[in-house]
Protein backbone atom coordinates (compact mmCIF):
# COMPACT_ATOMS: atom_id res chain seq x y z
CA UNK A 1 0.00 0.00 0.00
CA UNK A 2 1.37 3.41 -0.97
CA UNK A 3 1.78 6.22 1.55
CA UNK A 4 -1.43 8.23 2.06
CA UNK A 5 -1.68 11.51 0.16
CA UNK A 6 -2.52 13.76 3.10
CA UNK A 7 -3.35 16.83 1.04
CA UNK A 8 -5.79 14.87 -1.10
CA UNK A 9 -7.37 13.35 2.00
CA UNK A 10 -7.64 16.81 3.58
CA UNK A 11 -9.38 18.23 0.50
CA UNK A 12 -11.76 15.28 0.35
CA UNK A 13 -12.68 15.62 4.04
CA UNK A 14 -13.32 19.35 3.67
CA UNK A 15 -15.71 18.67 0.80
CA UNK A 16 -17.50 15.96 2.78
CA UNK A 17 -17.73 18.19 5.86
CA UNK A 18 -19.46 20.93 3.88
CA UNK A 19 -21.94 18.45 2.38
CA UNK A 20 -22.64 17.03 5.83
CA UNK A 21 -23.06 20.54 7.17
CA UNK A 22 -25.86 21.17 4.67
CA UNK A 23 -27.62 18.03 5.93
CA UNK A 24 -27.28 19.16 9.54
CA UNK A 25 -28.65 22.63 8.79
CA UNK A 26 -31.60 21.15 6.87
CA UNK A 27 -32.59 18.87 9.76
CA UNK A 28 -35.21 19.77 12.34
CA UNK A 29 -34.34 17.71 15.42
CA UNK A 30 -35.95 18.06 18.82
CA UNK A 31 -35.79 16.42 22.20
CA UNK A 32 -39.01 14.60 21.27
CA UNK A 33 -37.65 13.04 18.07
CA UNK A 34 -34.23 11.96 19.30
CA UNK A 35 -33.42 8.55 20.73
CA UNK A 36 -30.88 7.45 23.31
CA UNK A 37 -28.11 4.87 23.24
CA UNK A 38 -27.12 4.43 26.88
CA UNK A 39 -29.21 6.88 28.89
CA UNK A 40 -31.21 10.08 28.50
CA UNK A 41 -28.06 12.20 28.05
CA UNK A 42 -26.47 9.94 25.39
CA UNK A 43 -28.57 10.96 22.41
CA UNK A 44 -28.68 9.94 18.76
CA UNK A 45 -30.78 11.31 15.91
CA UNK A 46 -31.63 10.15 12.42
CA UNK A 47 -29.35 12.92 11.18
CA UNK A 48 -26.34 11.44 13.02
CA UNK A 49 -26.93 8.14 11.27
CA UNK A 50 -27.66 9.65 7.87
CA UNK A 51 -24.55 11.85 7.95
CA UNK A 52 -22.32 8.95 8.92
CA UNK A 53 -23.75 6.85 6.12
CA UNK A 54 -22.95 9.58 3.56
CA UNK A 55 -19.45 10.02 4.99
CA UNK A 56 -18.64 6.32 5.13
CA UNK A 57 -20.05 5.59 1.68
CA UNK A 58 -18.09 8.44 0.09
CA UNK A 59 -14.83 7.51 1.81
CA UNK A 60 -15.13 3.78 1.11
CA UNK A 61 -15.74 4.49 -2.57
CA UNK A 62 -12.71 6.79 -2.82
CA UNK A 63 -10.41 4.92 -0.42
CA UNK A 64 -11.55 1.29 -0.34
CA UNK A 65 -8.27 0.09 1.15
CA UNK A 66 -8.56 2.30 4.26
CA UNK A 67 -10.41 1.42 7.45
CA UNK A 68 -13.34 3.36 8.91
CA UNK A 69 -14.20 3.93 12.59
CA UNK A 70 -17.38 5.92 13.18
CA UNK A 71 -19.48 6.61 16.24
CA UNK A 72 -22.80 5.42 14.83
CA UNK A 73 -21.44 2.18 13.32
CA UNK A 74 -19.14 1.32 16.24
CA UNK A 75 -19.64 -2.08 17.84
CA UNK A 76 -18.11 -3.26 21.13
CA UNK A 77 -14.75 -4.85 20.45
CA UNK A 78 -13.85 -2.57 17.54
CA UNK A 79 -10.50 -0.81 18.00
CA UNK A 80 -8.39 1.74 16.24
CA UNK A 81 -5.64 -0.17 14.42
CA UNK A 82 -2.31 0.84 12.89
CA UNK A 83 -3.85 0.78 9.40
CA UNK A 84 -4.79 4.04 7.67
CA UNK A 85 -8.17 4.86 9.20
CA UNK A 86 -10.85 7.51 8.90
CA UNK A 87 -12.14 8.32 12.38
CA UNK A 88 -15.50 10.06 12.22
CA UNK A 89 -18.10 11.63 14.46
CA UNK A 90 -21.01 12.71 12.21
CA UNK A 91 -22.44 15.10 14.82
CA UNK A 92 -20.25 15.94 17.77
CA UNK A 93 -22.56 17.75 20.13
CA UNK A 94 -25.81 15.86 19.58
CA UNK A 95 -27.35 17.17 22.80
CA UNK A 96 -26.68 20.71 21.61
CA UNK A 97 -28.10 19.77 18.21
CA UNK A 98 -31.46 18.58 19.52
CA UNK A 99 -31.78 21.67 21.73
CA UNK A 100 -30.92 24.06 18.90
CA UNK A 101 -27.74 25.21 20.66
CA UNK A 102 -25.29 26.05 17.86
CA UNK A 103 -22.14 24.38 19.21
CA UNK A 104 -22.29 21.39 16.89
CA UNK A 105 -19.64 19.99 14.58
CA UNK A 106 -18.81 17.23 12.19
CA UNK A 107 -15.44 15.78 13.14
CA UNK A 108 -13.44 14.00 10.42
CA UNK A 109 -10.03 12.63 11.30
CA UNK A 110 -7.49 10.46 9.52
CA UNK A 111 -4.93 8.37 11.38
CA UNK A 112 -2.06 6.14 10.28
CA UNK A 113 -0.10 3.96 12.67
CA UNK A 114 -2.52 5.27 15.31
CA UNK A 115 -1.29 8.85 14.88
CA UNK A 116 -3.67 11.66 13.86
CA UNK A 117 -2.43 13.13 10.57
CA UNK A 118 -5.39 15.05 9.11
CA UNK A 119 -8.19 16.81 10.94
CA UNK A 120 -11.29 18.62 9.70
CA UNK A 121 -13.85 20.03 12.16
CA UNK A 122 -16.76 22.04 10.78
CA UNK A 123 -19.51 23.86 12.66
CA UNK A 124 -22.22 24.50 10.05
CA UNK A 125 -24.13 26.89 12.33
CA UNK A 126 -21.23 29.34 12.57
CA UNK A 127 -19.45 28.34 9.31
CA UNK A 128 -16.25 27.85 11.29
CA UNK A 129 -14.01 25.34 9.51
CA UNK A 130 -10.92 24.13 11.39
CA UNK A 131 -8.38 22.09 9.43
CA UNK A 132 -4.88 20.70 9.81
CA UNK A 133 -2.40 18.41 8.09
CA UNK A 134 0.54 16.94 9.97
CA UNK A 135 3.59 19.22 9.72
CA UNK A 136 1.64 21.80 7.66
CA UNK A 137 -0.04 23.93 10.32
CA UNK A 138 -3.62 24.45 11.44
CA UNK A 139 -6.10 26.92 9.98
CA UNK A 140 -9.48 28.53 10.54
CA UNK A 141 -11.49 28.77 7.31
CA UNK A 142 -8.45 27.86 5.24
CA UNK A 143 -6.58 31.15 5.60
CA UNK A 144 -6.27 32.19 9.26
CA UNK A 145 -3.37 30.40 10.90
CA UNK A 146 -3.91 29.02 14.39
CA UNK A 147 -3.49 30.03 17.11
CA UNK A 148 -5.37 33.27 16.50
CA UNK A 149 -2.79 35.35 18.36
CA UNK A 150 0.46 35.52 16.43
CA UNK A 151 2.38 35.76 19.70
CA UNK A 152 0.44 33.80 22.35
CA UNK A 153 0.86 34.88 25.96
CA UNK A 154 2.78 32.61 28.34
CA UNK A 155 0.68 30.29 30.46
CA UNK A 156 0.69 31.47 34.06
CA UNK A 157 -0.98 28.72 36.03
CA UNK A 158 -4.53 27.50 36.48
CA UNK A 159 -5.51 30.55 38.54
CA UNK A 160 -5.18 32.57 35.33
CA UNK A 161 -6.75 29.98 33.05
CA UNK A 162 -10.07 29.46 31.30
CA UNK A 163 -10.64 25.71 31.46
CA UNK A 164 -13.00 23.53 29.42
CA UNK A 165 -14.59 20.47 31.01
CA UNK A 166 -17.55 18.25 30.14
CA UNK A 167 -20.04 16.31 32.24
CA UNK A 168 -20.33 13.43 29.78
CA UNK A 169 -23.11 10.85 29.80
CA UNK A 170 -21.73 8.58 32.55
CA UNK A 171 -23.34 9.99 35.69
CA UNK A 172 -22.36 7.48 38.38
CA UNK A 173 -19.44 5.38 39.54
CA UNK A 174 -15.71 6.00 39.93
CA UNK A 175 -15.27 8.11 36.80
CA UNK A 176 -18.17 10.40 37.70
CA UNK A 177 -16.70 10.87 41.19
CA UNK A 178 -13.29 11.77 39.73
CA UNK A 179 -14.89 14.41 37.51
CA UNK A 180 -17.07 16.00 40.16
CA UNK A 181 -14.35 16.14 42.81
CA UNK A 182 -11.87 17.54 40.29
CA UNK A 183 -14.35 20.20 39.12
CA UNK A 184 -14.72 21.27 42.75
CA UNK A 185 -10.94 21.37 43.20
CA UNK A 186 -10.51 23.51 40.09
CA UNK A 187 -13.03 26.03 41.36
CA UNK A 188 -12.10 26.20 45.03
CA UNK A 189 -9.95 29.04 46.44
CA UNK A 190 -6.25 28.42 46.81
CA UNK A 191 -6.44 28.64 50.61
CA UNK A 192 -8.72 25.59 50.43
CA UNK A 193 -6.24 23.70 48.25
CA UNK A 194 -7.99 24.51 44.99
CA UNK A 195 -6.85 26.09 41.75
CA UNK A 196 -9.31 29.02 41.65
CA UNK A 197 -9.42 28.96 37.84
CA UNK A 198 -10.79 32.04 36.10
CA UNK A 199 -13.80 29.94 35.08
CA UNK A 200 -14.88 26.68 33.46
CA UNK A 201 -16.65 26.23 30.13
CA UNK A 202 -18.51 23.33 28.50
CA UNK A 203 -19.06 23.79 24.77
CA UNK A 204 -20.72 20.38 24.53
CA UNK A 205 -18.47 19.16 21.71
CA UNK A 206 -15.07 17.63 22.31
CA UNK A 207 -13.96 18.58 18.80
CA UNK A 208 -14.93 22.24 19.28
CA UNK A 209 -13.32 22.32 22.73
CA UNK A 210 -10.06 21.14 21.15
CA UNK A 211 -10.37 23.70 18.37
CA UNK A 212 -10.93 26.45 20.94
CA UNK A 213 -7.71 25.41 22.72
CA UNK A 214 -5.95 25.30 19.33
CA UNK A 215 -7.28 28.80 18.63
CA UNK A 216 -6.06 30.01 22.01
CA UNK A 217 -9.48 31.14 23.28
CA UNK A 218 -9.40 28.38 25.90
CA UNK A 219 -6.24 27.61 27.87
CA UNK A 220 -6.94 24.03 28.95
CA UNK A 221 -9.40 21.24 28.14
CA UNK A 222 -9.65 18.26 30.50
CA UNK A 223 -11.94 15.42 29.46
CA UNK A 224 -12.61 11.75 29.96
CA UNK A 225 -15.20 9.33 28.65
CA UNK A 226 -15.16 10.47 25.04
CA UNK A 227 -13.90 8.32 22.18
CA UNK A 228 -11.32 8.38 19.39
CA UNK A 229 -13.87 9.83 16.93
CA UNK A 230 -14.45 12.76 19.30
CA UNK A 231 -10.77 13.77 19.42
CA UNK A 232 -8.86 12.44 16.38
CA UNK A 233 -9.54 15.45 14.15
CA UNK A 234 -9.17 18.04 16.89
CA UNK A 235 -5.95 16.38 18.08
CA UNK A 236 -3.98 17.15 14.93
CA UNK A 237 -5.49 20.66 14.77
CA UNK A 238 -4.36 21.26 18.36
CA UNK A 239 -0.83 19.96 17.79
CA UNK A 240 -0.37 21.81 14.51
CA UNK A 241 -1.38 25.00 16.35
CA UNK A 242 1.42 24.41 18.87
CA UNK A 243 -0.80 22.88 21.53
CA UNK A 244 -0.04 19.85 23.67
CA UNK A 245 -2.13 16.73 24.26
CA UNK A 246 -1.40 14.48 27.23
CA UNK A 247 -3.37 11.96 29.26
CA UNK A 248 -6.27 13.04 31.46
CA UNK A 249 -4.87 10.80 34.19
CA UNK A 250 -1.63 12.06 35.72
CA UNK A 251 1.67 10.77 34.38
CA UNK A 252 1.32 9.87 30.70
CA UNK A 253 2.82 12.42 28.31
CA UNK A 254 2.12 10.32 25.20
CA UNK A 255 -1.47 9.00 25.34
CA UNK A 256 -3.13 6.82 22.73
CA UNK A 257 -5.77 8.40 20.52
CA UNK A 258 -8.32 5.96 21.91
CA UNK A 259 -7.25 6.31 25.56
CA UNK A 260 -10.60 8.03 26.35
CA UNK A 261 -9.03 10.54 28.77
CA UNK A 262 -7.26 13.67 27.62
CA UNK A 263 -5.72 16.94 28.68
CA UNK A 264 -5.14 19.62 26.04
CA UNK A 265 -3.11 22.80 26.64
CA UNK A 266 -2.87 25.73 24.24
CA UNK A 267 0.26 26.99 22.53
CA UNK A 268 2.49 29.21 24.65
CA UNK A 269 6.12 30.34 24.66
CA UNK A 270 6.40 28.98 28.20
CA UNK A 271 4.30 27.33 30.86
CA UNK A 272 2.82 24.32 29.01
CA UNK A 273 4.64 21.67 31.03
CA UNK A 274 3.94 23.50 34.27
CA UNK A 275 0.25 23.80 33.38
CA UNK A 276 0.02 20.07 32.71
CA UNK A 277 1.67 19.20 36.01
CA UNK A 278 -0.50 21.64 37.97
CA UNK A 279 -3.64 20.25 36.34
CA UNK A 280 -2.56 16.69 37.05
CA UNK A 281 -2.08 17.71 40.69
CA UNK A 282 -5.76 18.74 40.83
CA UNK A 283 -7.12 15.43 39.53
CA UNK A 284 -8.91 13.65 42.36
CA UNK A 285 -8.36 9.93 41.73
CA UNK A 286 -7.88 8.09 38.44
CA UNK A 287 -10.22 7.42 35.56
CA UNK A 288 -10.96 3.77 34.72
CA UNK A 289 -12.41 3.81 31.21
CA UNK A 290 -12.30 0.76 28.98
CA UNK A 291 -11.27 1.21 25.34
Amino acid sequence: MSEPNLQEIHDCLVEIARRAGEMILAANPSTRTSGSKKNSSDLVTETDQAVEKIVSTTLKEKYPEYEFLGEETYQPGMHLTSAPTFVVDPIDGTVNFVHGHPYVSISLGFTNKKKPLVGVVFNPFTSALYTAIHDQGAYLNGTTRLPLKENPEPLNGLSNALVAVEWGSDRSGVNWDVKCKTFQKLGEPKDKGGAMVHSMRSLGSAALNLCAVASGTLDVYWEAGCWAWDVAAGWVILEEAGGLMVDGNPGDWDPAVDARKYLAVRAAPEGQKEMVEEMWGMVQGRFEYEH
Side-chain angles (χ1 to χ4, degrees):
M1 186 184 300
S2 61
E3 283 297 304
N5 183 327
L6 299 184
Q7 184 64 57
E8 180 186 85
I9 289 169
H10 165 277
D11 296 347
C12 177
L13 293 181
V14 168
E15 181 180 339
I16 291 172
R18 293 198 180 279
R19 287 174 54 200
E22 292 174 0
M23 294 177 64
I24 291 170
L25 290 176
N28 187 30
S30 74
T31 55
R32 297 187 302 276
T33 59
S34 62
S36 62
K37 289 181 279 189
K38 181 173 55 183
N39 57 39
S40 61
S41 69
D42 189 17
L43 302 182
V44 63
T45 70
E46 291 181 357
T47 310
D48 291 79
Q49 296 163 340
V51 169
E52 181 162 319
K53 185 173 182 179
I54 289 292
V55 173
S56 63
T57 300
T58 303
L59 290 174
K60 286 175 181 176
E61 286 177 354
K62 189 171 180 63
Y63 299 100
E65 69 275 26
Y66 293 168
E67 295 187 4
F68 183 91
L69 182 63
E71 178 176 16
E72 304 310 330
T73 50
Y74 169 80
Q75 296 293 330
M78 294 174 67
H79 296 285
L80 181 66
T81 73
S82 295
T85 305
F86 291 104
V87 188
V88 170
D89 190 345
I91 299 181
D92 188 36
T94 302
V95 173
N96 288 345
F97 181 51
V98 301
H99 283 275
H101 191 54
Y103 287 92
V104 175
S105 68
I106 176 166
S107 177
L108 305 176
F110 176 76
T111 65
N112 192 20
K113 300 174 184 175
K114 297 187 178 182
K115 297 295 182 183
L117 298 179
V118 180
V120 172
V121 174
F122 181 51
N123 181 346
F125 293 97
T126 63
S127 298
L129 175 68
Y130 300 91
T131 59
I133 301 173
H134 179 64
D135 282 342
Q136 295 186 39
Y139 293 87
L140 171 62
N141 295 329
T143 55
T144 302
R145 186 108 185 203
L146 300 179
L148 295 174
K149 288 185 178 179
E150 187 174 345
N151 298 301
E153 299 171 359
L155 288 160
N156 192 23
L158 283 171
S159 63
N160 293 289
L162 186 60
V163 178
V165 296
E166 293 289 346
W167 294 101
S169 57
D170 292 316
R171 303 291 176 84
S172 63
V174 171
N175 296 322
W176 175 245
D177 289 342
V178 172
K179 281 192 176 184
C180 291
K181 291 175 182 177
T182 302
F183 294 168
Q184 181 175 344
K185 202 73 170 173
L186 289 170
E188 282 181 336
K190 287 205 164 190
D191 61 6
K192 300 289 188 182
M196 193 66 182
V197 299
H198 273 175
S199 194
M200 287 179 270
R201 298 287 183 266
S202 297
L203 298 185
S205 161
L208 291 179
N209 282 326
L210 287 171
C211 290
V213 178
S215 298
T217 58
L218 291 173
D219 298 299
V220 173
Y221 171 39
W222 179 70
E223 169 71 301
C226 50
W227 298 82
W229 48 78
D230 297 307
V231 302
W235 188 308
V236 64
I237 294 167
L238 172 76
E239 289 191 334
E240 287 301 306
L244 179 66
M245 181 78 95
V246 300
D247 201 290
N249 274 339
D252 186 356
W253 291 89
D254 187 25
V257 178
D258 56 358
R260 301 198 62 202
K261 43 197 173 30
Y262 313 96
L263 171 60
V265 178
R266 69 163 171 85
E270 58 187 64
Q272 278 185 322
K273 181 175 182 290
E274 292 80 2
M275 183 67 85
V276 168
E277 291 174 339
E278 184 182 2
M279 181 65 214
W280 277 346
M282 292 291 147
V283 178
Q284 302 297 294
R286 291 186 69 82
F287 290 119
E288 298 177 359
Y289 287 98
E290 295 182 359
H291 66 279

